[in-house]
Every structure is written in structure tokens, then in C-alpha cells.
Amino acid sequence: MLDPIDRSTLHHPSRGTLNEIYSTAICGNDLTSSVLYVIGVTTTMAGQLAPICLLIVGFVLYLFKSVYGEAGTAIPLNGGAYNLLLNTTSKNMASLAACLTILSYIATAVVSATECMTYAANLCPWIDIYWGTILLLGFFCFLSVMGITESAVVAVGIFIVHMGSMVFLIFVGTLYTFQNPSILANNLKEPLKYDWPLSILFGFCTAMLGVTGFETSANYIEEQQRGVFPKTLFNTWFIVFCLNPVLSIICLGVLDLPTLEAHHRDVLAKTAYDAGGKYFGLWISADAALVLAGAVLTAYVGVTGLVRRLALDRCMPQLLLAENRFRRTNHLIPISFFILCSSLFILLQGRVRSLANVYTLSFLCVMTLFAVGNMMLKYKRGRIRRPIRASWSTNFAALAAVVIALIGNVMLAPGHLIYFFIYFIVVAGITWAMFERIRHLQDRFAGVTQLAMDKIRSQKVVFFAKNDNLEVLNKAVSYVQQNELTRWLKVVYVYEDLNDPMIKAIAENLRVIDRCFPKMVIDLVLVQGTFSPEVVAQISSRLGVPRNFMFIACPGDRFPHDIGDFGGVRMITH
């Protein structure tokens, strides 16, 4: 008999603690902080056509709202693009997405913290930007160690202040534009830097920076209450769709194009200064510093959810999963992230321009992989129940748009590629070293490390067999052998009647498969009961196998449970 299981242990302790406001604020701070610079840089490329470019980006983000919604509701587990590709392709491909996402978060944290301190120093000249950046990174590290709920409270405060400031800026700017209509009229007459199709194209490619952070919500989906994730996607899309084009028009109505381009890094502060006076300009500068600090917090929340999943899957050291007794948080993840970001900032001596360029390319690559991953989900996992479905045309249109943006940004600044590859190789090297450590140790230190290798390979893996389908069983064993560092597979069959003929059929097929995989130890485990999240949790406890090392075949649309209810159980690719 299986032991009773406490339902509170079915998920991570922080599962389902974030409501719609908290979840939107965490993601929204990163997303809306981009308005501080995206309007200026888009205008330098597209001139007076910048609002059109930002509006097009809003439509592209609407496509991705459906793409992310389908993937997140089908497989509601932390990890974003990594989790999606892990359940639709291979672990190597998923690790590639994880590396790009981590790189994006590193760039987000360091660049946002530096820009925040730059704005703060403009308000208070006595602030030291260099040490202030490190202290800010340390503060949000401490906040992350305290827990995601505490982080969310701070995020909500920042988000409310920022949105209020932007709405008031729109109001003041609109009044100024009506009082001085000649500024907007003259801007509309200015010649474009390129022909209008190229202006819109290059402006669109640059304006895609305005949606950086949209992918973050998928990395802490397990911490959101049930049904909140789609609402978070809608809220953040709606804010960007309305806010960015409108603010772009306001800037064109207050500043002439040469001034706007000259102040592209602080265009909103300059707009506020000209439209509302000195103190309003200082207010918007303070708001900029505040929301950029919120973007740093978003990076910590996103990377914590992702790295925790990577550590559970043994792509990162499992030491990172250590929980403190006081808050039951994985404190080593934010501490390690702080050390990494601070070290990088010190090595760059505070000059983070190269990281800003890396941020652009890594973010667009992550969105590309997510679109590809959702297509694989539709093709390989079409039977999984999910309340949101993106059509094939929506997927293709979203993928085409982000690929165009990626190619366009490379064409506009090809020199940025070298920085991207340098940083990517460093992050990927760490992940690759963890993923390939068995093979490396075996080739380099065969005799000395045999015990260490045996310990790593001793991790048992479970596959839940639904029936005696020989092809599915064979592919399950093959997938585990290729993607997991283990030699031990336990095939579990949950039955209701001891006379079930499937028991004998599965046993006979496993004998055949066992001869085809001589390096694998394959056991058959029979469990009486009904397949459910509670039973899976009981089996996990009895066998000592974490649920992220348990696999199932792709469930059908009549499956009575959501994949997320099983606490990390993965789907075999076949």
C-alpha cells in the first residue's frame, strides 16, 4: 500500500501565491521600463513614423500573447522556453534556450541597475554610480532571499507609481501639444532618414526592444495562482499596446525631432521638463530610476524560477536547491546571481554598453525559440488539454516577425555579434560543463572519478506506462538514455485490477527492450490505484525519485488533470 500524502507537498512551497496584480507588476516593471529608451531609439531610426512602428510591435506582441498562452497553459511549469523545449525536443536544445534566457537576465539586471543609478545620480549628485549599482544588486538579492511574495509587494508599489506617472505625463503632454500644435506639424514635415518602407522596417526592429520582459512571466508560472498566467499576458500586452505609441506621439508633440534624437536616452524626462516644468522633469527622472530598479527585481524573480528548474533537472548544481530554514527559499540562487552580475560589472569597470547590445539579441533569440517550441508542442503534443490555442498562422506570423527583428538588429549593428557570442559562450560553457560532466570525467579521469560517476548515474528515473505499446516503451527508454545521466529506469504501471492483462503484456515487452539496452537497468513496478497527482506524489516518495525525473507519454484531451498538477512530471518526446 502507498503511504498517505500531504496535499500541501504536491507543489513547491510558493506555488500559487501570486495573484493577478502581483504577477502583472513583476513582469510589467521590466516590460514598461523599456518605454524610457525605446521611444528615443525608435525615433532616431523612423523619425515621425515611430508611433506606427511601436503600434506594429503591439500587434506582434498580441500574436505572442496567444503563443505564450498556449504553451503556458499546456505545460504550466517554471522555465519558460527551456521548459517548453524540454517537453517537445531534447534536453540539449532546451539547455540552449536556458542559456539565452539566463544571459538575458544577467544583461537586464546589470544594465537596469546601472541606468537606475545614473538617473539617481542626476537627481542626487552625491550618489556614486559604481558602488550604487552593486548595492542595488545586493538589495534585490536580499529581497529575493526573503521570498517572492515580499518581492511582489515591492514590485506592485513600483508599478503603481510608474503607471500613474506615465498617465499624468500623457495628460500634461496632451495639453502642451494642443497649446503648441506647430511642433507636431513641423515634425510631420521633416524628411525621413530612409525611404518610408525602410524607416518602418528599421524602426520596427528597434522598437522590438519595447517588449523585452514579456517572456518573464512564463519563468515563474508555478508561483502564480491558477488561471492568472493568461491574465498577466493580457495585462502586459494591453499596457504596451496602449502606452508606447501614445507616449511616442506625446514626445513628437512636445519636442522637435533634433531635440528628441539628442535626448533619446532620457526622452521622457526631457518631454516632462519641457511640458510641465523643472519639477515635473525631476519627478519623471525619479520614476525612471524607480522602474529600472523594478526591472532588476524582475530579473531576480525570473532567473530564480528558471535556475531552480535547471538544478532540479541536473543541468545546474543541485546545491542551488538548498532551502534556508527561515523563509524556505532557494537562497543560493539569488546569491549566486548577485555574485555573477557584480563580478561582471566590476570586470567591465562599470561600462555596460556591450551588455546592452547582448540583451537585445538574447531576448529576440529566446522569443524565436519560444515560437519554434510552441510549433513543436502543436505538432507533437496536440492532444494536451489547454484553454488557449494559437493557430498555425499566428505561430508562423509571430516567428516571422521576431526573425525579421533579429536579422534587422544584426544588420543595423553587426559589431554587436562579437559581444553576444563572447557572453553566450561563457554562460553556455557553464551549463554544458554540468550537462556533459559524466562524459568529461570519464574521458579525463576514468579511474579516480568512477565513484563520482556512479553516484550521478545512480539517480533513478521513472516512466509511467499507460499500456503495453512496444514502440512507446522503446522510445521512452531511448529518450532517457540519450537525455538523462542515469542507468536505472523504473517503468511504473498503475492498475486497478490485479487480473489486468496489460501487466503481463508490459512485462513481456520490457524483457525484449531490456535485451536491446544492455547498459540500462530496467525495472517494472506495479502500483494498485488510479493514476493521479496524489498517487504520483506517493510513488515519488516511496521510490525516492523527484517528480521532475518522472515521465509520462503525451496525455489526450480527455485527461482529467493538468500537467502542472503533477509537480514537474515531464513528457517523453516521441
Coordinates of all heavy atoms in Angstrom, one line a residue, residues 44-46 49 191-200 202 412:
T44 N 15.0 57.8 -33.7 CA 16.2 58.0 -34.4 C 16.3 57.2 -35.7 O 16.9 57.6 -36.7 CB 17.5 57.6 -33.6 OG1 17.4 56.3 -33.2 CG2 17.5 58.5 -32.3
M45 N 15.5 56.1 -35.8 CA 15.5 55.3 -37.0 C 14.3 55.6 -37.9 O 14.5 55.7 -39.1 CB 15.4 53.8 -36.6 CG 16.6 53.2 -36.0 SD 18.0 53.1 -37.3 CE 19.4 52.8 -36.2
A46 N 13.2 55.9 -37.3 CA 11.9 56.0 -38.1 C 11.4 57.5 -38.1 O 10.4 57.7 -38.8 CB 10.9 55.1 -37.6
L49 N 7.6 58.4 -38.0 CA 6.9 57.2 -38.2 C 7.0 56.3 -37.0 O 6.5 55.1 -37.0 CB 7.3 56.4 -39.5 CG 7.1 57.2 -40.8 CD1 7.7 56.3 -41.9 CD2 5.6 57.4 -41.0
P191 N 12.0 65.5 -43.2 CA 12.4 64.4 -44.1 C 12.8 63.2 -43.3 O 13.4 63.3 -42.3 CB 13.5 64.9 -45.0 CG 14.1 66.0 -44.2 CD 12.9 66.6 -43.4
L192 N 12.5 62.0 -43.8 CA 12.9 60.8 -43.2 C 14.4 60.4 -43.5 O 14.9 60.8 -44.5 CB 12.0 59.6 -43.7 CG 10.5 59.7 -43.3 CD1 9.8 58.6 -44.0 CD2 10.3 59.5 -41.8
K193 N 15.0 59.7 -42.6 CA 16.4 59.3 -42.8 C 16.5 58.3 -43.9 O 17.5 58.3 -44.6 CB 16.9 58.7 -41.5 CG 18.4 58.4 -41.5 CD 18.9 57.8 -40.2 CE 18.8 58.8 -39.0 NZ 19.3 58.3 -37.8
Y194 N 15.5 57.4 -44.0 CA 15.5 56.4 -45.1 C 14.1 56.6 -45.8 O 13.3 57.3 -45.4 CB 15.6 55.0 -44.5 CG 16.7 54.8 -43.5 CD1 16.5 54.8 -42.2 CD2 18.0 54.5 -44.0 CE1 17.5 54.6 -41.3 CE2 19.0 54.3 -43.1 CZ 18.8 54.3 -41.7 OH 19.8 54.1 -40.8
D195 N 14.0 55.8 -47.0 CA 12.7 55.7 -47.6 C 11.7 55.1 -46.6 O 12.1 54.3 -45.7 CB 12.8 54.9 -48.8 CG 13.6 55.5 -49.9 OD1 13.7 56.8 -49.9 OD2 14.1 54.8 -50.8
W196 N 10.4 55.5 -46.7 CA 9.5 55.1 -45.7 C 9.4 53.6 -45.4 O 9.2 53.2 -44.3 CB 8.1 55.7 -46.0 CG 7.3 55.1 -47.1 CD1 7.3 55.6 -48.4 CD2 6.5 54.0 -47.1 NE1 6.5 54.8 -49.2 CE2 6.0 53.8 -48.4 CE3 6.1 53.1 -46.1 CZ2 5.1 52.7 -48.7 CZ3 5.2 52.1 -46.4 CH2 4.7 51.9 -47.7
P197 N 9.5 52.7 -46.4 CA 9.4 51.3 -46.1 C 10.6 50.9 -45.2 O 10.4 50.1 -44.2 CB 9.5 50.6 -47.4 CG 9.0 51.6 -48.4 CD 9.5 52.9 -47.9
L198 N 11.8 51.4 -45.5 CA 13.0 51.1 -44.7 C 12.9 51.7 -43.3 O 13.3 51.1 -42.3 CB 14.3 51.5 -45.4 CG 14.8 50.6 -46.5 CD1 16.1 51.2 -47.1 CD2 15.1 49.2 -46.0
S199 N 12.3 52.9 -43.3 CA 12.2 53.6 -42.0 C 11.3 52.8 -41.1 O 11.6 52.6 -39.9 CB 11.6 55.0 -42.2 OG 12.5 55.8 -42.9
I200 N 10.2 52.3 -41.6 CA 9.3 51.4 -40.8 C 9.9 50.1 -40.4 O 9.8 49.7 -39.3 CB 8.0 51.2 -41.6 CG1 7.2 52.5 -41.7 CG2 7.1 50.1 -40.9 CD1 5.9 52.4 -42.4
F202 N 13.3 49.4 -40.1 CA 14.3 49.6 -39.1 C 13.7 50.1 -37.8 O 14.2 49.7 -36.7 CB 15.4 50.6 -39.6 CG 16.3 50.0 -40.7 CD1 16.8 50.8 -41.7 CD2 16.6 48.7 -40.8 CE1 17.6 50.3 -42.7 CE2 17.4 48.1 -41.8 CZ 17.8 49.0 -42.8
L412 N 21.8 46.3 -38.5 CA 22.0 47.7 -38.0 C 23.3 47.8 -37.2 O 23.9 48.9 -37.2 CB 20.8 48.1 -37.2 CG 19.5 48.4 -37.9 CD1 18.3 48.6 -36.9 CD2 19.6 49.6 -38.8

